[in-house]
Amino acid sequence: MATQYTHNEHLGHVVFITAAAAIGGFLFGYDSSVINGAVVGIQQHFRVGAVEIGFVVAIALLGSALGAWAGGGLADRWGRTRSMQVAAILFAVSSIGQMLPFAVWDLAFWRVVAGFAIGMASVLGPAYIAEVAPPAYRGRLGSFQQLAIVLGIAVSQLVNYVIAQLAGGKVNNVLLGLEAWQWMLGACVVPALLYLLFALNIPESPRYLIMAGRTQQARQVLAEVEGDDVDLDSRISEIQNVLRTERVPGLKDLRGSALGLLPIVWIGIVLSAFQQFVGINVIFYYSSVLWQSVGINQSDSLLISFSSSIINIIGTFIAISLVDRIGRKPLLLIGSAGMAISLATAAWAFSFAGGAGEPVTLPGPQGAVALIAANLFVLFFALSWGVVVWVLLGEMFPNRIRAAALGVAAAAQWIANWLITVSFPAMSEWNLPLTYAIYALFALLSFLFVSKWIKETKGRKLEDMG
C-alpha cells in the first residue's frame, strides 16, 4: 500500500511539472487563434487592406519558425527551465506591445516577438516533457503539449466572444478606454505570466543537469520523477554513457550524408511538414467561411466555431488514452486514413459551391456534408497527428542531438504552417474543391510516409533512441 501511494505521489509530481511545461503549448494555441477575433478590428482601426492584414497575421508564424530554430540551442546553453522563463517574459512583453500599438508596423513587430517566444516554447515543452517523463507514461505526458494547444485555441475563442459582448458586439467599440480588439490581444499576458510562474518553480531536466556536470542535482530530480525504487546510480550512469563523449550539440551535429542532414532529422522535418500540409489550420483560421456557407450569420460565427474546438479537445483526449496503449505509429496511420477520406469528401461537397466572387454558398445536402466532413477531419487530426507528432519529436532523436534536431523540425513545422496560412485565401478563390483535394493528397502521402519511415517508440528509453 505504501509503495502504491509513493508511486502515485511521484506520478502526480511528474504530471504537475509536465502540465506546467505544456503551458507553452497553451500560449501557441491561444495566440494563433486570438488574432482571428481581432483581425477586423485591426483592419478598421488602421484602415489597411487585405494584403497588410494578411502580413500582420502570418508574420508571427515566421517569428515562431525563428524561435523554434533558436530554441534548441538556447535550451542546451541556458537549460530547459531558464529558456522557458525567457520565452514567458518575451511573450508577456509582446502581449502588452500588441495591446497598445501606434501603427500597423509596430503591431507587426510585436507579433514577431510573440511568435519567437511561442516558437521557443514549442521546442522546450516536448523536449522537457520527454526528458522528465518515465518511459511507461511518456506518450500520455507528451500529449499534454497538444492538449494545451487545443485548450489555448478554445479559451481564446471564448475570451474573444466575452470581450466582444462586453463591448456591445463589435470589436472596434471602446471598452474601458481601449477598443475591444486591443483587450483581446492584451489578455494574452495572463497565460504568459502563469507560464513564467510555473517555469520558475519546476525542476531542471535531469539530462540537461548531467550534460552540464550537475550530477547531484540530476540525482534529486530523477528521484522525484522516477521514484525511490529506481536504481539511480544505474540511471545516471546510463545517461552519462550516452553523453560522455558529447559536447553541447549544435546545428553542425545534425549534418549527415542525406542531403546535408542526418536521416533521422529529415524524418522529423517531413513529419512536421505533413502535420501542417494536411491543412488543419485552415479550419481554425478560416472556419467562418464554412459556417456562413450553410446560412449561419457572421455575428454568431465566433461562438459557433467553438464546436470545432470542442471536437479538437475530445480527439486529443482520445489520443492521450491510446498513445501508450496501441502506440504512435498505428495512431498516425489511422489518422492519415481518416483525414484523407474526410478531406476528399469535403472537396467533393465544395465542388457544388455557387456564388463566383462572393462568399461560398452550398446546396443544403452538400453544405451539411462539408461541415460534417470538416469536423471529422478535425477529430481524426486531433486523435492522431495533432498529439503524436509532438510526442515523437520529443522522443525520436538521440540524446546528443535532441534539442537541436527538435528545433529544426519545429521550425519546419512553423514554416509549413505559414505556407498553408498565406496560400489558402488565394488558392480557395482560385479553386476551393481542388484546394481541399490537395490537402487530401497530402494526407494520403502522410500515410505512405509513416508506413515506410516511422519507427515505433512506445515504451523505449530515450537513451535507446538512435
Side-chain angles (χ1 to χ4, degrees), residues 85-414:
Q85 293 161 19
V86 171
I89 291 168
L90 285 175
F91 197 89
V93 171
S94 66
S95 298
I96 301 300
Q98 289 182 81
M99 184 183 186
L100 304 169
F102 50 81
V104 73
W105 65 263
D106 175 52
L107 176 60
F109 169 77
W110 291 115
R111 294 279 298 153
V112 172
V113 175
F116 188 90
I118 295 166
M120 284 181 65
S122 73
V123 172
L124 298 168
Y128 178 86
I129 292 168
E131 291 179 350
V132 299
Y137 301 101
R138 197 173 57 237
R140 274 168 282 182
L141 294 173
S143 305
F144 279 25
Q145 174 79 3
Q146 180 64 17
L147 176 61
I149 291 172
V150 300
L151 288 173
I153 292 170
V155 170
S156 72
Q157 290 178 343
L158 279 180
V159 169
N160 281 356
Y161 177 74
V162 169
I163 291 174
Q165 291 301 109
L166 290 173
K170 293 187 177 179
V171 295
N172 287 102
N173 287 353
V174 174
L175 178 67
L176 300 176
L178 296 174
E179 292 185 10
W181 65 267
Q182 292 176 273
W183 285 113
M184 290 177 181
L185 297 179
C188 297
V189 76
V190 176
L193 292 176
L194 193 63
Y195 187 39
L196 176 61
L197 178 65
F198 279 114
L200 288 167
N201 287 283
I202 58 176
E204 183 53 85
S205 155
R207 286 166 183 82
Y208 170 77
L209 291 171
I210 291 173
M211 187 188 294
R214 293 150 62 184
T215 309
Q216 192 54 42
Q217 284 179 265
R219 178 187 295 273
Q220 292 171 357
V221 177
L222 282 169
E224 288 176 18
V225 299
E226 296 198 12
D228 297 324
D229 54 338
V230 174
D231 185 341
L232 296 179
D233 289 329
S234 175
R235 289 291 290 121
I236 289 171
S237 177
E238 188 177 22
I239 297 169
Q240 283 175 331
N241 286 339
V242 173
L243 297 173
R244 180 168 290 135
T245 60
E246 308 298 336
R247 62 197 179 285
V248 174
L251 296 179
K252 61 179 175 293
D253 296 284
L254 308 183
R255 290 176 188 158
S257 57
L259 298 176
L261 292 172
L262 294 169
I264 190 69
V265 179
W266 276 118
I267 290 172
I269 289 171
V270 175
L271 192 69
S272 287
F274 270 130
Q275 192 201 43
Q276 297 300 322
F277 283 165
V278 296
I280 185 61
N281 281 316
V282 165
I283 298 295
F284 292 111
Y285 294 173
Y286 303 105
S287 61
S288 61
V289 173
L290 291 174
W291 294 119
Q292 290 170 51
S293 71
V294 291
I296 295 166
N297 66 56
Q298 187 176 11
S299 65
D300 289 339
S301 65
L302 195 64
L303 183 61
I304 294 171
S305 64
F306 184 65
S307 66
S308 290
S309 295
I310 297 300
I311 290 168
N312 201 7
I313 293 169
I314 291 169
T316 302
F317 275 113
I318 293 172
I320 290 171
S321 69
L322 295 178
V323 69
D324 282 324
R325 294 181 187 175
I326 69 173
R328 285 63 159 155
K329 188 169 182 174
L331 270 184
L332 287 178
L333 292 172
I334 291 167
S336 292
M339 290 190 299
I341 293 168
S342 54
L343 285 166
T345 303
W348 170 83
F350 278 114
S351 68
F352 291 85
E358 298 294 328
V360 177
T361 55
L362 294 176
Q366 284 78 21
V369 168
L371 280 175
I372 292 169
N375 281 321
L376 280 174
F377 165 55
V378 170
L379 180 65
F380 276 110
F381 176 87
L383 64 81
S384 60
W385 283 75
V387 164
V388 177
V389 169
W390 288 113
V391 173
L392 277 174
L393 289 180
E395 66 186 10
M396 67 188 285
F397 302 115
N399 259 352
R400 64 186 179 84
I401 64 166
R402 179 172 301 111
L406 215 167
V408 171
Q413 192 174 120
W414 288 110

